[in-house]
CSV table of all heavy atoms in Angstrom, one decimal:
chain,number,residue,atom,x,y,z
A,236,ASP,N,111.9,109.5,106.1
A,236,ASP,CA,111.6,108.7,107.3
A,236,ASP,C,111.3,109.6,108.5
A,236,ASP,O,112.1,110.5,108.8
A,236,ASP,CB,112.7,107.7,107.6
A,236,ASP,CG,112.2,106.6,108.5
A,236,ASP,OD1,111.0,106.3,108.6
A,236,ASP,OD2,113.1,106.0,109.3
A,269,TYR,N,113.8,112.9,108.5
A,269,TYR,CA,115.0,113.1,107.8
A,269,TYR,C,114.8,112.6,106.4
A,269,TYR,O,113.9,111.7,106.1
A,269,TYR,CB,116.2,112.5,108.4
A,269,TYR,CG,116.3,111.0,108.4
A,269,TYR,CD1,117.0,110.3,107.4
A,269,TYR,CD2,115.6,110.2,109.3
A,269,TYR,CE1,117.0,108.9,107.4
A,269,TYR,CE2,115.6,108.8,109.3
A,269,TYR,CZ,116.3,108.2,108.3
A,269,TYR,OH,116.3,106.8,108.3
A,309,GLU,N,113.7,98.1,112.0
A,309,GLU,CA,112.7,99.1,112.6
A,309,GLU,C,111.4,98.7,111.9
A,309,GLU,O,111.2,98.7,110.7
A,309,GLU,CB,113.1,100.5,112.2
A,309,GLU,CG,114.3,100.9,113.0
A,309,GLU,CD,114.7,102.4,113.0
A,309,GLU,OE1,114.2,103.1,112.0
A,309,GLU,OE2,115.4,102.9,113.8
A,311,GLU,N,108.0,99.5,110.9
A,311,GLU,CA,107.3,100.8,110.5
A,311,GLU,C,106.2,100.5,109.5
A,311,GLU,O,106.2,99.4,108.9
A,311,GLU,CB,108.3,101.8,109.8
A,311,GLU,CG,109.5,102.1,110.7
A,311,GLU,CD,110.4,103.3,110.2
A,311,GLU,OE1,109.9,104.1,109.3
A,311,GLU,OE2,111.5,103.4,110.6
A,343,ASP,N,112.9,99.4,108.2
A,343,ASP,CA,114.0,100.3,108.0
A,343,ASP,C,115.3,99.7,108.7
A,343,ASP,O,115.6,100.1,109.8
A,343,ASP,CB,113.6,101.7,108.7
A,343,ASP,CG,114.7,102.8,108.5
A,343,ASP,OD1,115.5,102.6,107.6
A,343,ASP,OD2,114.7,103.7,109.3
A,363,LYS,N,121.6,103.8,107.6
A,363,LYS,CA,120.2,103.5,107.2
A,363,LYS,C,120.1,103.4,105.7
A,363,LYS,O,119.1,102.8,105.2
A,363,LYS,CB,119.3,104.8,107.5
A,363,LYS,CG,119.3,105.1,109.0
A,363,LYS,CD,118.3,104.3,109.7
A,363,LYS,CE,118.1,104.8,111.1
A,363,LYS,NZ,117.0,104.1,111.8
A,459,GLY,N,108.4,106.0,111.0
A,459,GLY,CA,109.3,105.9,112.2
A,459,GLY,C,108.9,104.6,112.9
A,459,GLY,O,107.8,104.1,112.8
A,460,THR,N,109.9,104.1,113.7
A,460,THR,CA,109.7,102.8,114.4
A,460,THR,C,108.4,102.9,115.3
A,460,THR,O,108.2,103.9,116.0
A,460,THR,CB,110.9,102.6,115.3
A,460,THR,OG1,112.1,102.7,114.5
A,460,THR,CG2,110.8,101.3,116.0
B,368,MN,MN1,113.3,104.5,110.8
Side-chain angles (χ1 to χ4, degrees):
D236 195 27
Y269 69 98
E309 289 190 343
E311 304 191 17
D343 182 23
K363 302 276 192 175
T460 308

